[in-house]
Amino acid sequence: MTLLVFFCGHAGTGKTTLAKRLIGPLMQASGSPFCLLDKDTLYGGYSAAAMDMLSGDPHDRDSPLFLQHLRDPEYRGLIDTARDNLELGISALVVAPLSREVRERRLFDRAWLGVAPQVELRVVWVQTSEETARQRIVARADPNDAYKLAHWDEYRQRRFEPAGAAAVDLLKFDNTAPTAADDDALVARIVA
């Protein structure tokens, strides 16, 4: 079984921490090798250089300039890299906010993703309260979050919780204070 698993959600929800915690159990439960593709790891340096050249702010990941010109190519590259691994028989765990793609149901669209019918798709929506996410963002002190914190009221307008049609087939996970049993239950839902 080859899996394409997305860990999506807003900043500060703990997507990367959760993915790193679950990749071993996912490999064991599925019997498949996995690669971990984190947007910030793959594109952080490139985006920093591009934004420094374009705006003088290498940490900008939220301004209209970034969102209009770099966001989509980053995400397309992430998905293309996942697809290359899937074609080699390696499952992919993709970590990125992907909120627009969740809302528009693109992560369930095999044609848009470019993946074969036999690839199992799972989309995990990692969530916490807005206040918990903000506390985590402050605590991690990542310069890439400066815009979010300085423009919190604007940023928070982009936050949403999938509901209705957007939530169909999503595996929602409350990452506020998960237990080992919560992790095990999520792994079981992903490989089911």
Side-chain angles (χ1 to χ4, degrees), residues 9-14 125-140 148-149 151-161 174-176:
H10 301 296
T13 57
W125 182 259
V126 183
Q127 56 195 23
T128 62
S129 70
E130 179 183 329
E131 184 53 35
T132 298
R134 190 174 195 289
Q135 289 171 1
R136 288 178 179 174
I137 291 169
V138 169
R140 71 186 179 195
K148 284 179 192 70
L149 293 172
H151 302 89
W152 189 258
D153 286 338
E154 174 190 327
Y155 168 72
R156 66 190 300 266
Q157 299 302 316
R158 294 196 328 244
R159 286 181 52 93
F160 77 102
E161 292 304 323
D174 184 345
N175 202 27
T176 303

PDB file of all heavy atoms in Angstrom, residues 9-14 125-140 148-149 151-161 174-176:
ATOM      1  N   GLY A   9      -2.969  22.426   8.360  1.00  0.00           N
ATOM      2  CA  GLY A   9      -3.525  23.208   9.447  1.00  0.00           C
ATOM      3  C   GLY A   9      -2.813  24.534   9.554  1.00  0.00           C
ATOM      4  O   GLY A   9      -1.815  24.786   8.860  1.00  0.00           O
ATOM      5  N   HIS A  10      -3.300  25.366  10.418  1.00  0.00           N
ATOM      6  CA  HIS A  10      -2.755  26.711  10.566  1.00  0.00           C
ATOM      7  C   HIS A  10      -1.441  26.688  11.342  1.00  0.00           C
ATOM      8  O   HIS A  10      -1.094  25.690  11.988  1.00  0.00           O
ATOM      9  CB  HIS A  10      -3.780  27.609  11.257  1.00  0.00           C
ATOM     10  CG  HIS A  10      -5.062  27.699  10.498  1.00  0.00           C
ATOM     11  ND1 HIS A  10      -5.144  28.260   9.246  1.00  0.00           N
ATOM     12  CD2 HIS A  10      -6.315  27.275  10.801  1.00  0.00           C
ATOM     13  CE1 HIS A  10      -6.391  28.190   8.814  1.00  0.00           C
ATOM     14  NE2 HIS A  10      -7.120  27.589   9.736  1.00  0.00           N
ATOM     15  N   ALA A  11      -0.730  27.798  11.292  1.00  0.00           N
ATOM     16  CA  ALA A  11       0.540  27.943  12.014  1.00  0.00           C
ATOM     17  C   ALA A  11       0.315  27.694  13.504  1.00  0.00           C
ATOM     18  O   ALA A  11      -0.707  28.087  14.067  1.00  0.00           O
ATOM     19  CB  ALA A  11       1.103  29.343  11.797  1.00  0.00           C
ATOM     20  N   GLY A  12       1.271  27.024  14.118  1.00  0.00           N
ATOM     21  CA  GLY A  12       1.215  26.813  15.556  1.00  0.00           C
ATOM     22  C   GLY A  12       0.386  25.630  16.005  1.00  0.00           C
ATOM     23  O   GLY A  12       0.244  25.395  17.205  1.00  0.00           O
ATOM     24  N   THR A  13      -0.152  24.871  15.080  1.00  0.00           N
ATOM     25  CA  THR A  13      -0.966  23.714  15.478  1.00  0.00           C
ATOM     26  C   THR A  13      -0.121  22.479  15.758  1.00  0.00           C
ATOM     27  O   THR A  13      -0.626  21.504  16.309  1.00  0.00           O
ATOM     28  CB  THR A  13      -2.028  23.375  14.412  1.00  0.00           C
ATOM     29  OG1 THR A  13      -1.377  23.143  13.158  1.00  0.00           O
ATOM     30  CG2 THR A  13      -3.048  24.496  14.279  1.00  0.00           C
ATOM     31  N   GLY A  14       1.151  22.505  15.365  1.00  0.00           N
ATOM     32  CA  GLY A  14       2.036  21.372  15.650  1.00  0.00           C
ATOM     33  C   GLY A  14       2.083  20.325  14.553  1.00  0.00           C
ATOM     34  O   GLY A  14       2.328  19.149  14.837  1.00  0.00           O
ATOM     35  N   TRP A 125      -6.324  17.151   9.238  1.00  0.00           N
ATOM     36  CA  TRP A 125      -6.419  18.559   9.605  1.00  0.00           C
ATOM     37  C   TRP A 125      -6.019  18.664  11.072  1.00  0.00           C
ATOM     38  O   TRP A 125      -6.722  18.182  11.951  1.00  0.00           O
ATOM     39  CB  TRP A 125      -7.824  19.103   9.377  1.00  0.00           C
ATOM     40  CG  TRP A 125      -7.922  20.561   9.717  1.00  0.00           C
ATOM     41  CD1 TRP A 125      -8.431  21.101  10.857  1.00  0.00           C
ATOM     42  CD2 TRP A 125      -7.477  21.654   8.910  1.00  0.00           C
ATOM     43  NE1 TRP A 125      -8.332  22.476  10.809  1.00  0.00           N
ATOM     44  CE2 TRP A 125      -7.745  22.837   9.633  1.00  0.00           C
ATOM     45  CE3 TRP A 125      -6.868  21.736   7.655  1.00  0.00           C
ATOM     46  CZ2 TRP A 125      -7.434  24.104   9.129  1.00  0.00           C
ATOM     47  CZ3 TRP A 125      -6.556  23.000   7.159  1.00  0.00           C
ATOM     48  CH2 TRP A 125      -6.842  24.155   7.880  1.00  0.00           C
ATOM     49  N   VAL A 126      -4.854  19.253  11.317  1.00  0.00           N
ATOM     50  CA  VAL A 126      -4.316  19.390  12.667  1.00  0.00           C
ATOM     51  C   VAL A 126      -4.832  20.718  13.227  1.00  0.00           C
ATOM     52  O   VAL A 126      -4.674  21.758  12.596  1.00  0.00           O
ATOM     53  CB  VAL A 126      -2.777  19.348  12.653  1.00  0.00           C
ATOM     54  CG1 VAL A 126      -2.223  19.405  14.070  1.00  0.00           C
ATOM     55  CG2 VAL A 126      -2.277  18.102  11.919  1.00  0.00           C
ATOM     56  N   GLN A 127      -5.437  20.646  14.413  1.00  0.00           N
ATOM     57  CA  GLN A 127      -6.054  21.854  14.949  1.00  0.00           C
ATOM     58  C   GLN A 127      -5.762  22.040  16.432  1.00  0.00           C
ATOM     59  O   GLN A 127      -5.497  21.081  17.148  1.00  0.00           O
ATOM     60  CB  GLN A 127      -7.564  21.834  14.721  1.00  0.00           C
ATOM     61  CG  GLN A 127      -8.265  20.622  15.291  1.00  0.00           C
ATOM     62  CD  GLN A 127      -9.673  20.460  14.747  1.00  0.00           C
ATOM     63  OE1 GLN A 127     -10.009  20.954  13.683  1.00  0.00           O
ATOM     64  NE2 GLN A 127     -10.510  19.772  15.494  1.00  0.00           N
ATOM     65  N   THR A 128      -5.796  23.290  16.831  1.00  0.00           N
ATOM     66  CA  THR A 128      -5.760  23.710  18.231  1.00  0.00           C
ATOM     67  C   THR A 128      -6.584  24.993  18.287  1.00  0.00           C
ATOM     68  O   THR A 128      -6.958  25.544  17.249  1.00  0.00           O
ATOM     69  CB  THR A 128      -4.334  24.029  18.741  1.00  0.00           C
ATOM     70  OG1 THR A 128      -3.818  25.116  17.978  1.00  0.00           O
ATOM     71  CG2 THR A 128      -3.406  22.846  18.657  1.00  0.00           C
ATOM     72  N   SER A 129      -6.816  25.482  19.465  1.00  0.00           N
ATOM     73  CA  SER A 129      -7.511  26.767  19.576  1.00  0.00           C
ATOM     74  C   SER A 129      -6.607  27.870  19.045  1.00  0.00           C
ATOM     75  O   SER A 129      -5.378  27.735  18.982  1.00  0.00           O
ATOM     76  CB  SER A 129      -7.872  27.057  21.033  1.00  0.00           C
ATOM     77  OG  SER A 129      -6.686  27.328  21.768  1.00  0.00           O
ATOM     78  N   GLU A 130      -7.210  28.977  18.673  1.00  0.00           N
ATOM     79  CA  GLU A 130      -6.435  30.119  18.192  1.00  0.00           C
ATOM     80  C   GLU A 130      -5.439  30.579  19.259  1.00  0.00           C
ATOM     81  O   GLU A 130      -4.281  30.884  18.951  1.00  0.00           O
ATOM     82  CB  GLU A 130      -7.372  31.267  17.826  1.00  0.00           C
ATOM     83  CG  GLU A 130      -6.646  32.503  17.349  1.00  0.00           C
ATOM     84  CD  GLU A 130      -7.581  33.661  17.055  1.00  0.00           C
ATOM     85  OE1 GLU A 130      -8.740  33.431  16.642  1.00  0.00           O
ATOM     86  OE2 GLU A 130      -7.142  34.817  17.248  1.00  0.00           O
ATOM     87  N   GLU A 131      -5.863  30.630  20.496  1.00  0.00           N
ATOM     88  CA  GLU A 131      -4.978  31.096  21.575  1.00  0.00           C
ATOM     89  C   GLU A 131      -3.801  30.147  21.775  1.00  0.00           C
ATOM     90  O   GLU A 131      -2.665  30.587  21.956  1.00  0.00           O
ATOM     91  CB  GLU A 131      -5.756  31.273  22.882  1.00  0.00           C
ATOM     92  CG  GLU A 131      -4.923  31.850  24.005  1.00  0.00           C
ATOM     93  CD  GLU A 131      -4.202  33.153  23.653  1.00  0.00           C
ATOM     94  OE1 GLU A 131      -4.749  33.973  22.888  1.00  0.00           O
ATOM     95  OE2 GLU A 131      -3.069  33.343  24.150  1.00  0.00           O
ATOM     96  N   THR A 132      -4.052  28.837  21.726  1.00  0.00           N
ATOM     97  CA  THR A 132      -2.957  27.872  21.861  1.00  0.00           C
ATOM     98  C   THR A 132      -1.969  28.034  20.710  1.00  0.00           C
ATOM     99  O   THR A 132      -0.752  28.041  20.921  1.00  0.00           O
ATOM    100  CB  THR A 132      -3.494  26.434  21.908  1.00  0.00           C
ATOM    101  OG1 THR A 132      -4.328  26.289  23.059  1.00  0.00           O
ATOM    102  CG2 THR A 132      -2.375  25.406  21.950  1.00  0.00           C
ATOM    103  N   ALA A 133      -2.488  28.169  19.497  1.00  0.00           N
ATOM    104  CA  ALA A 133      -1.618  28.351  18.330  1.00  0.00           C
ATOM    105  C   ALA A 133      -0.781  29.623  18.479  1.00  0.00           C
ATOM    106  O   ALA A 133       0.424  29.615  18.224  1.00  0.00           O
ATOM    107  CB  ALA A 133      -2.450  28.402  17.058  1.00  0.00           C
ATOM    108  N   ARG A 134      -1.412  30.705  18.922  1.00  0.00           N
ATOM    109  CA  ARG A 134      -0.678  31.969  19.083  1.00  0.00           C
ATOM    110  C   ARG A 134       0.403  31.815  20.148  1.00  0.00           C
ATOM    111  O   ARG A 134       1.532  32.287  19.958  1.00  0.00           O
ATOM    112  CB  ARG A 134      -1.636  33.094  19.455  1.00  0.00           C
ATOM    113  CG  ARG A 134      -0.991  34.469  19.412  1.00  0.00           C
ATOM    114  CD  ARG A 134      -2.024  35.575  19.652  1.00  0.00           C
ATOM    115  NE  ARG A 134      -1.533  36.865  19.275  1.00  0.00           N
ATOM    116  CZ  ARG A 134      -0.591  37.551  19.933  1.00  0.00           C
ATOM    117  NH1 ARG A 134      -0.037  37.033  21.008  1.00  0.00           N
ATOM    118  NH2 ARG A 134      -0.190  38.740  19.512  1.00  0.00           N
ATOM    119  N   GLN A 135       0.109  31.166  21.249  1.00  0.00           N
ATOM    120  CA  GLN A 135       1.110  30.942  22.300  1.00  0.00           C
ATOM    121  C   GLN A 135       2.295  30.140  21.764  1.00  0.00           C
ATOM    122  O   GLN A 135       3.449  30.432  22.071  1.00  0.00           O
ATOM    123  CB  GLN A 135       0.484  30.232  23.495  1.00  0.00           C
ATOM    124  CG  GLN A 135      -0.464  31.088  24.298  1.00  0.00           C
ATOM    125  CD  GLN A 135      -1.237  30.281  25.343  1.00  0.00           C
ATOM    126  OE1 GLN A 135      -1.073  29.077  25.496  1.00  0.00           O
ATOM    127  NE2 GLN A 135      -2.106  30.980  26.067  1.00  0.00           N
ATOM    128  N   ARG A 136       2.012  29.127  20.957  1.00  0.00           N
ATOM    129  CA  ARG A 136       3.090  28.311  20.388  1.00  0.00           C
ATOM    130  C   ARG A 136       3.932  29.123  19.410  1.00  0.00           C
ATOM    131  O   ARG A 136       5.158  28.980  19.376  1.00  0.00           O
ATOM    132  CB  ARG A 136       2.513  27.083  19.686  1.00  0.00           C
ATOM    133  CG  ARG A 136       1.972  26.046  20.640  1.00  0.00           C
ATOM    134  CD  ARG A 136       1.371  24.883  19.882  1.00  0.00           C
ATOM    135  NE  ARG A 136       0.869  23.869  20.781  1.00  0.00           N
ATOM    136  CZ  ARG A 136       0.187  22.812  20.373  1.00  0.00           C
ATOM    137  NH1 ARG A 136      -0.059  22.630  19.080  1.00  0.00           N
ATOM    138  NH2 ARG A 136      -0.249  21.924  21.246  1.00  0.00           N
ATOM    139  N   ILE A 137       3.278  29.965  18.617  1.00  0.00           N
ATOM    140  CA  ILE A 137       4.001  30.810  17.663  1.00  0.00           C
ATOM    141  C   ILE A 137       4.929  31.766  18.418  1.00  0.00           C
ATOM    142  O   ILE A 137       6.095  31.937  18.044  1.00  0.00           O
ATOM    143  CB  ILE A 137       3.017  31.569  16.760  1.00  0.00           C
ATOM    144  CG1 ILE A 137       2.312  30.593  15.813  1.00  0.00           C
ATOM    145  CG2 ILE A 137       3.738  32.659  15.967  1.00  0.00           C
ATOM    146  CD1 ILE A 137       1.143  31.197  15.056  1.00  0.00           C
ATOM    147  N   VAL A 138       4.421  32.378  19.475  1.00  0.00           N
ATOM    148  CA  VAL A 138       5.250  33.276  20.281  1.00  0.00           C
ATOM    149  C   VAL A 138       6.418  32.500  20.889  1.00  0.00           C
ATOM    150  O   VAL A 138       7.572  32.938  20.843  1.00  0.00           O
ATOM    151  CB  VAL A 138       4.403  33.971  21.372  1.00  0.00           C
ATOM    152  CG1 VAL A 138       5.286  34.692  22.375  1.00  0.00           C
ATOM    153  CG2 VAL A 138       3.399  34.947  20.738  1.00  0.00           C
ATOM    154  N   ALA A 139       6.140  31.328  21.452  1.00  0.00           N
ATOM    155  CA  ALA A 139       7.170  30.537  22.141  1.00  0.00           C
ATOM    156  C   ALA A 139       8.273  30.062  21.197  1.00  0.00           C
ATOM    157  O   ALA A 139       9.446  30.024  21.583  1.00  0.00           O
ATOM    158  CB  ALA A 139       6.530  29.345  22.848  1.00  0.00           C
ATOM    159  N   ARG A 140       7.932  29.722  19.974  1.00  0.00           N
ATOM    160  CA  ARG A 140       8.968  29.205  19.081  1.00  0.00           C
ATOM    161  C   ARG A 140       9.867  30.314  18.528  1.00  0.00           C
ATOM    162  O   ARG A 140      10.948  30.039  18.020  1.00  0.00           O
ATOM    163  CB  ARG A 140       8.379  28.351  17.974  1.00  0.00           C
ATOM    164  CG  ARG A 140       7.589  29.070  16.912  1.00  0.00           C
ATOM    165  CD  ARG A 140       6.950  28.086  15.959  1.00  0.00           C
ATOM    166  NE  ARG A 140       6.162  28.725  14.917  1.00  0.00           N
ATOM    167  CZ  ARG A 140       5.309  28.092  14.168  1.00  0.00           C
ATOM    168  NH1 ARG A 140       5.123  26.789  14.328  1.00  0.00           N
ATOM    169  NH2 ARG A 140       4.631  28.725  13.233  1.00  0.00           N
ATOM    170  N   LYS A 148       2.874  37.465  10.994  1.00  0.00           N
ATOM    171  CA  LYS A 148       1.629  36.976  11.593  1.00  0.00           C
ATOM    172  C   LYS A 148       1.361  37.673  12.925  1.00  0.00           C
ATOM    173  O   LYS A 148       0.247  38.116  13.188  1.00  0.00           O
ATOM    174  CB  LYS A 148       1.705  35.469  11.850  1.00  0.00           C
ATOM    175  CG  LYS A 148       1.568  34.589  10.663  1.00  0.00           C
ATOM    176  CD  LYS A 148       1.697  33.130  11.100  1.00  0.00           C
ATOM    177  CE  LYS A 148       1.861  32.205   9.935  1.00  0.00           C
ATOM    178  NZ  LYS A 148       3.151  32.336   9.262  1.00  0.00           N
ATOM    179  N   LEU A 149       2.378  37.729  13.762  1.00  0.00           N
ATOM    180  CA  LEU A 149       2.198  38.320  15.089  1.00  0.00           C
ATOM    181  C   LEU A 149       1.940  39.823  15.005  1.00  0.00           C
ATOM    182  O   LEU A 149       1.112  40.350  15.746  1.00  0.00           O
ATOM    183  CB  LEU A 149       3.412  38.017  15.968  1.00  0.00           C
ATOM    184  CG  LEU A 149       3.577  36.538  16.330  1.00  0.00           C
ATOM    185  CD1 LEU A 149       4.907  36.306  17.030  1.00  0.00           C
ATOM    186  CD2 LEU A 149       2.412  36.042  17.176  1.00  0.00           C
ATOM    187  N   HIS A 151       0.542  41.373  12.581  1.00  0.00           N
ATOM    188  CA  HIS A 151      -0.735  41.593  11.874  1.00  0.00           C
ATOM    189  C   HIS A 151      -1.736  40.516  12.284  1.00  0.00           C
ATOM    190  O   HIS A 151      -2.431  39.953  11.443  1.00  0.00           O
ATOM    191  CB  HIS A 151      -0.516  41.562  10.358  1.00  0.00           C
ATOM    192  CG  HIS A 151       0.467  42.569   9.865  1.00  0.00           C
ATOM    193  ND1 HIS A 151       1.807  42.307   9.778  1.00  0.00           N
ATOM    194  CD2 HIS A 151       0.301  43.840   9.450  1.00  0.00           C
ATOM    195  CE1 HIS A 151       2.434  43.371   9.315  1.00  0.00           C
ATOM    196  NE2 HIS A 151       1.546  44.317   9.116  1.00  0.00           N
ATOM    197  N   TRP A 152      -1.783  40.205  13.582  1.00  0.00           N
ATOM    198  CA  TRP A 152      -2.579  39.077  14.055  1.00  0.00           C
ATOM    199  C   TRP A 152      -4.044  39.179  13.653  1.00  0.00           C
ATOM    200  O   TRP A 152      -4.642  38.195  13.224  1.00  0.00           O
ATOM    201  CB  TRP A 152      -2.462  38.900  15.564  1.00  0.00           C
ATOM    202  CG  TRP A 152      -3.105  37.619  16.006  1.00  0.00           C
ATOM    203  CD1 TRP A 152      -4.316  37.460  16.583  1.00  0.00           C
ATOM    204  CD2 TRP A 152      -2.582  36.298  15.831  1.00  0.00           C
ATOM    205  NE1 TRP A 152      -4.588  36.121  16.812  1.00  0.00           N
ATOM    206  CE2 TRP A 152      -3.530  35.390  16.347  1.00  0.00           C
ATOM    207  CE3 TRP A 152      -1.402  35.793  15.286  1.00  0.00           C
ATOM    208  CZ2 TRP A 152      -3.330  34.017  16.348  1.00  0.00           C
ATOM    209  CZ3 TRP A 152      -1.205  34.420  15.283  1.00  0.00           C
ATOM    210  CH2 TRP A 152      -2.161  33.549  15.806  1.00  0.00           C
ATOM    211  N   ASP A 153      -4.643  40.346  13.762  1.00  0.00           N
ATOM    212  CA  ASP A 153      -6.062  40.474  13.407  1.00  0.00           C
ATOM    213  C   ASP A 153      -6.291  40.159  11.935  1.00  0.00           C
ATOM    214  O   ASP A 153      -7.291  39.530  11.577  1.00  0.00           O
ATOM    215  CB  ASP A 153      -6.585  41.868  13.759  1.00  0.00           C
ATOM    216  CG  ASP A 153      -6.774  42.046  15.250  1.00  0.00           C
ATOM    217  OD1 ASP A 153      -6.920  41.028  15.955  1.00  0.00           O
ATOM    218  OD2 ASP A 153      -6.766  43.205  15.716  1.00  0.00           O
ATOM    219  N   GLU A 154      -5.368  40.577  11.086  1.00  0.00           N
ATOM    220  CA  GLU A 154      -5.467  40.249   9.656  1.00  0.00           C
ATOM    221  C   GLU A 154      -5.239  38.756   9.439  1.00  0.00           C
ATOM    222  O   GLU A 154      -5.990  38.101   8.713  1.00  0.00           O
ATOM    223  CB  GLU A 154      -4.422  41.062   8.884  1.00  0.00           C
ATOM    224  CG  GLU A 154      -4.316  40.707   7.417  1.00  0.00           C
ATOM    225  CD  GLU A 154      -3.107  41.358   6.768  1.00  0.00           C
ATOM    226  OE1 GLU A 154      -2.722  42.474   7.170  1.00  0.00           O
ATOM    227  OE2 GLU A 154      -2.556  40.729   5.854  1.00  0.00           O
ATOM    228  N   TYR A 155      -4.200  38.208  10.073  1.00  0.00           N
ATOM    229  CA  TYR A 155      -3.882  36.791   9.907  1.00  0.00           C
ATOM    230  C   TYR A 155      -5.027  35.908  10.397  1.00  0.00           C
ATOM    231  O   TYR A 155      -5.388  34.935   9.740  1.00  0.00           O
ATOM    232  CB  TYR A 155      -2.587  36.432  10.647  1.00  0.00           C
ATOM    233  CG  TYR A 155      -2.382  34.942  10.750  1.00  0.00           C
ATOM    234  CD1 TYR A 155      -2.045  34.195   9.625  1.00  0.00           C
ATOM    235  CD2 TYR A 155      -2.582  34.262  11.949  1.00  0.00           C
ATOM    236  CE1 TYR A 155      -1.891  32.817   9.698  1.00  0.00           C
ATOM    237  CE2 TYR A 155      -2.432  32.891  12.027  1.00  0.00           C
ATOM    238  CZ  TYR A 155      -2.084  32.178  10.901  1.00  0.00           C
ATOM    239  OH  TYR A 155      -1.954  30.812  10.975  1.00  0.00           O
ATOM    240  N   ARG A 156      -5.585  36.235  11.524  1.00  0.00           N
ATOM    241  CA  ARG A 156      -6.628  35.379  12.103  1.00  0.00           C
ATOM    242  C   ARG A 156      -7.872  35.301  11.209  1.00  0.00           C
ATOM    243  O   ARG A 156      -8.637  34.347  11.299  1.00  0.00           O
ATOM    244  CB  ARG A 156      -6.987  35.812  13.520  1.00  0.00           C
ATOM    245  CG  ARG A 156      -7.647  37.154  13.626  1.00  0.00           C
ATOM    246  CD  ARG A 156      -7.750  37.623  15.075  1.00  0.00           C
ATOM    247  NE  ARG A 156      -8.507  36.742  15.901  1.00  0.00           N
ATOM    248  CZ  ARG A 156      -9.818  36.892  16.152  1.00  0.00           C
ATOM    249  NH1 ARG A 156     -10.474  37.904  15.642  1.00  0.00           N
ATOM    250  NH2 ARG A 156     -10.442  36.035  16.906  1.00  0.00           N
ATOM    251  N   GLN A 157      -8.050  36.278  10.320  1.00  0.00           N
ATOM    252  CA  GLN A 157      -9.177  36.226   9.380  1.00  0.00           C
ATOM    253  C   GLN A 157      -9.011  35.082   8.383  1.00  0.00           C
ATOM    254  O   GLN A 157      -9.990  34.596   7.823  1.00  0.00           O
ATOM    255  CB  GLN A 157      -9.324  37.564   8.633  1.00  0.00           C
ATOM    256  CG  GLN A 157      -9.607  38.744   9.530  1.00  0.00           C
ATOM    257  CD  GLN A 157     -10.863  38.574  10.346  1.00  0.00           C
ATOM    258  OE1 GLN A 157     -11.885  38.147   9.837  1.00  0.00           O
ATOM    259  NE2 GLN A 157     -10.782  38.888  11.632  1.00  0.00           N
ATOM    260  N   ARG A 158      -7.765  34.660   8.151  1.00  0.00           N
ATOM    261  CA  ARG A 158      -7.516  33.544   7.228  1.00  0.00           C
ATOM    262  C   ARG A 158      -7.706  32.199   7.904  1.00  0.00           C
ATOM    263  O   ARG A 158      -7.817  31.173   7.231  1.00  0.00           O
ATOM    264  CB  ARG A 158      -6.083  33.634   6.679  1.00  0.00           C
ATOM    265  CG  ARG A 158      -5.865  34.847   5.811  1.00  0.00           C
ATOM    266  CD  ARG A 158      -4.617  34.788   4.950  1.00  0.00           C
ATOM    267  NE  ARG A 158      -3.480  34.090   5.465  1.00  0.00           N
ATOM    268  CZ  ARG A 158      -2.309  34.656   5.748  1.00  0.00           C
ATOM    269  NH1 ARG A 158      -2.133  35.940   5.599  1.00  0.00           N
ATOM    270  NH2 ARG A 158      -1.314  33.924   6.180  1.00  0.00           N
ATOM    271  N   ARG A 159      -7.701  32.177   9.233  1.00  0.00           N
ATOM    272  CA  ARG A 159      -7.897  30.915   9.963  1.00  0.00           C
ATOM    273  C   ARG A 159      -9.341  30.447   9.802  1.00  0.00           C
ATOM    274  O   ARG A 159     -10.255  31.251   9.830  1.00  0.00           O
ATOM    275  CB  ARG A 159      -7.605  31.106  11.456  1.00  0.00           C
ATOM    276  CG  ARG A 159      -6.150  31.242  11.805  1.00  0.00           C
ATOM    277  CD  ARG A 159      -5.969  31.407  13.314  1.00  0.00           C
ATOM    278  NE  ARG A 159      -6.628  30.385  14.077  1.00  0.00           N
ATOM    279  CZ  ARG A 159      -6.071  29.252  14.499  1.00  0.00           C
ATOM    280  NH1 ARG A 159      -4.814  29.008  14.229  1.00  0.00           N
ATOM    281  NH2 ARG A 159      -6.755  28.362  15.196  1.00  0.00           N
ATOM    282  N   PHE A 160      -9.517  29.183   9.640  1.00  0.00           N
ATOM    283  CA  PHE A 160     -10.858  28.605   9.552  1.00  0.00           C
ATOM    284  C   PHE A 160     -10.780  27.164  10.017  1.00  0.00           C
ATOM    285  O   PHE A 160      -9.703  26.580  10.076  1.00  0.00           O
ATOM    286  CB  PHE A 160     -11.399  28.689   8.115  1.00  0.00           C
ATOM    287  CG  PHE A 160     -10.810  27.658   7.188  1.00  0.00           C
ATOM    288  CD1 PHE A 160     -11.522  26.516   6.851  1.00  0.00           C
ATOM    289  CD2 PHE A 160      -9.540  27.809   6.664  1.00  0.00           C
ATOM    290  CE1 PHE A 160     -10.977  25.552   6.018  1.00  0.00           C
ATOM    291  CE2 PHE A 160      -8.979  26.859   5.835  1.00  0.00           C
ATOM    292  CZ  PHE A 160      -9.708  25.730   5.508  1.00  0.00           C
ATOM    293  N   GLU A 161     -11.900  26.624  10.357  1.00  0.00           N
ATOM    294  CA  GLU A 161     -11.998  25.208  10.682  1.00  0.00           C
ATOM    295  C   GLU A 161     -12.895  24.575   9.618  1.00  0.00           C
ATOM    296  O   GLU A 161     -14.031  25.018   9.422  1.00  0.00           O
ATOM    297  CB  GLU A 161     -12.582  24.993  12.076  1.00  0.00           C
ATOM    298  CG  GLU A 161     -11.666  25.467  13.193  1.00  0.00           C
ATOM    299  CD  GLU A 161     -10.281  24.834  13.163  1.00  0.00           C
ATOM    300  OE1 GLU A 161     -10.162  23.640  12.820  1.00  0.00           O
ATOM    301  OE2 GLU A 161      -9.308  25.545  13.478  1.00  0.00           O
ATOM    302  N   ASP A 174      -7.100  16.925  17.122  1.00  0.00           N
ATOM    303  CA  ASP A 174      -6.867  17.986  18.093  1.00  0.00           C
ATOM    304  C   ASP A 174      -5.486  17.765  18.697  1.00  0.00           C
ATOM    305  O   ASP A 174      -5.257  16.805  19.428  1.00  0.00           O
ATOM    306  CB  ASP A 174      -7.939  17.970  19.183  1.00  0.00           C
ATOM    307  CG  ASP A 174      -7.787  19.114  20.168  1.00  0.00           C
ATOM    308  OD1 ASP A 174      -6.708  19.759  20.207  1.00  0.00           O
ATOM    309  OD2 ASP A 174      -8.743  19.373  20.915  1.00  0.00           O
ATOM    310  N   ASN A 175      -4.570  18.668  18.376  1.00  0.00           N
ATOM    311  CA  ASN A 175      -3.179  18.529  18.790  1.00  0.00           C
ATOM    312  C   ASN A 175      -2.842  19.435  19.972  1.00  0.00           C
ATOM    313  O   ASN A 175      -1.698  19.803  20.165  1.00  0.00           O
ATOM    314  CB  ASN A 175      -2.257  18.842  17.601  1.00  0.00           C
ATOM    315  CG  ASN A 175      -0.892  18.230  17.752  1.00  0.00           C
ATOM    316  OD1 ASN A 175      -0.719  17.216  18.412  1.00  0.00           O
ATOM    317  ND2 ASN A 175       0.094  18.846  17.120  1.00  0.00           N
ATOM    318  N   THR A 176      -3.857  19.777  20.763  1.00  0.00           N
ATOM    319  CA  THR A 176      -3.615  20.629  21.923  1.00  0.00           C
ATOM    320  C   THR A 176      -2.785  19.902  22.966  1.00  0.00           C
ATOM    321  O   THR A 176      -1.772  20.414  23.442  1.00  0.00           O
ATOM    322  CB  THR A 176      -4.950  21.101  22.527  1.00  0.00           C
ATOM    323  OG1 THR A 176      -5.698  21.771  21.506  1.00  0.00           O
ATOM    324  CG2 THR A 176      -4.725  22.047  23.689  1.00  0.00           C
TER     325      THR A 176
END
